[in-house]
Amino acid sequence: MTINTVPVFDVRSPAQAVEALPYLLSCQPDGPDGMVFVLVHDTLHDRPLFCQKFDLPSAKDDPNKAAHNMMHSTLHRLEKLATGPAAILVYLCARQQDAGDGHAAMTRHRTVATALLLSAETHGIDTLAAMFVTPTHWWVYHHDNPNYRHEGMPVDGPDNPGVVTMNARAVGIPTPPSQAAIAASLEPVTGKDAAAQRAAILHAVGERAARVQATSFDAETERLTAILDRLLLDGGDGTPLEDLTPDQTAELIVGLRHRPLRDVALEYIEPKELPRARELWALLARRCASATTTLVAAPLTLAAFTAAVTGEVPAALIALERARKADPRYLLAGLLMEELVMTGSVDEIADEFREEREARLRGRDN
């Protein structure tokens, strides 16, 4: 199931449409950030076409402008497909802090839902439904059916499977992972740990500059490559990665900002190496001590790459989204995102880095 191919479910009701949402997203919609998720359906051939995901507008945003931009993006993609008539199904997914009082949050976002419905109507697109969804309950906007209770309808899913979940299991589609759990594994350290790590990073910047001036960029890359080889190559030396000191992780964080070392880091994708590589890149992302520093883009992208190599595409996409938010100019994150969206894998890119690895190790041995 590739990311740009919408899985087909026999959806007969709004409840089943909500139950299908995690399969459309490839993860449970329980992350910290809300979203607007638009499913475009080909009404002539009765099949789903594609999905679009947008940030959930905040109270400071103009709902009409936000709705116009989302609908314009959807129409632009729809025009490229040159299909016949289409309809949309709109999900407004709650932010994590909204889940405790879903009805109040649903009410706050009603203006956005209304603006989306009006924008779709203006552009000649039918709307199947506009729904507000939390991890536990859902509501339909502008629906008069009295069965849709004030407190919301319960969400069917892994713990209380409905028709969609049972059918997915029957054909071997795995239960989508938790978006919140993936995001939590990449959250930056806080408190005293964060203060110690920030100080270590500042010190590492100065130390790196002094070493480069005394030797060269190439010599510094070789020195850090030797550290990565020791930690990861063929499974590494068994050093507990969580035991790495702030100074040790800081020099790697700073070094990975330099492209030659980052490219070497992409080479640790053999089966014996992947678990420790994923652990190390996630550790370095957390120890950047900030989700917004540009330094975090490299370890997040490496974490995404190793996740994608193992087939965990949802985890890869979440890490890439974070990397691109931290540094929109980080080209590798954009390249990997595009490859995953278009093909659902990074196999071709991984093969290129396997060749680079073989050449590097041959040169080292010689």
Side-chain angles (χ1 to χ4, degrees), residues 135-350:
T136 58
H137 291 83
W138 59 272
W139 296 256
V140 176
Y141 289 106
H142 308 295
H143 202 293
D144 296 328
N145 190 328
N147 290 329
Y148 298 134
R149 304 188 301 254
H150 173 90
E151 65 273 22
M153 299 295 291
V155 172
D156 292 332
D159 297 329
N160 52 323
V163 173
V164 173
T165 302
M166 296 301 292
N167 288 345
R169 289 176 180 174
V171 297
I173 299 176
T175 300
S178 164
Q179 185 184 24
I182 295 170
S185 70
L186 302 171
E187 282 298 309
V189 294
T190 58
K192 292 181 179 179
D193 292 336
Q197 197 65 53
R198 281 193 288 266
I201 290 172
L202 184 61
H203 180 71
V205 170
E207 290 290 300
R208 174 182 170 83
R211 284 193 299 268
V212 169
Q213 290 173 4
T215 56
S216 66
F217 279 111
D218 288 344
E220 177 65 3
T221 299
E222 289 179 9
R223 186 185 75 83
L224 293 176
T225 296
I227 294 175
L228 291 180
D229 279 346
R230 175 177 62 81
L231 293 173
L232 301 178
L233 190 64
D234 295 327
D237 62 358
T239 301
L241 297 178
E242 282 286 350
D243 290 349
L244 294 177
T245 67
D247 288 336
Q248 289 173 317
T249 53
E251 68 175 355
L252 291 175
I253 289 168
V254 174
L256 286 170
R257 190 64 184 172
H258 192 46
R259 180 175 172 177
L261 184 69
R262 193 279 316 275
D263 286 353
V264 169
L266 290 162
E267 299 173 4
Y268 302 100
I269 51 175
E270 297 309 311
K272 290 172 61 177
E273 300 164 354
L274 275 169
R276 276 178 66 84
R278 291 189 67 179
E279 182 184 353
L280 179 60
W281 308 142
L283 175 70
L284 296 183
R286 294 195 303 272
R287 293 204 183 176
C288 284
S290 170
T292 57
T293 174
T294 55
L295 290 173
V296 80
L300 282 175
T301 302
L302 291 167
F305 184 61
T306 50
V309 169
T310 60
E312 296 182 30
V313 175
L317 291 174
I318 290 171
L320 288 172
E321 287 176 356
R322 286 178 165 238
R324 297 180 74 185
K325 283 185 179 180
D327 188 353
R329 300 167 299 174
Y330 202 67
L331 296 180
L332 180 60
L335 173 65
L336 293 178
M337 177 76 79
E338 182 178 357
E339 186 72 8
L340 283 173
V341 169
M342 295 303 296
T343 70
S345 79
V346 293
D347 291 347
E348 290 188 9
I349 298 174

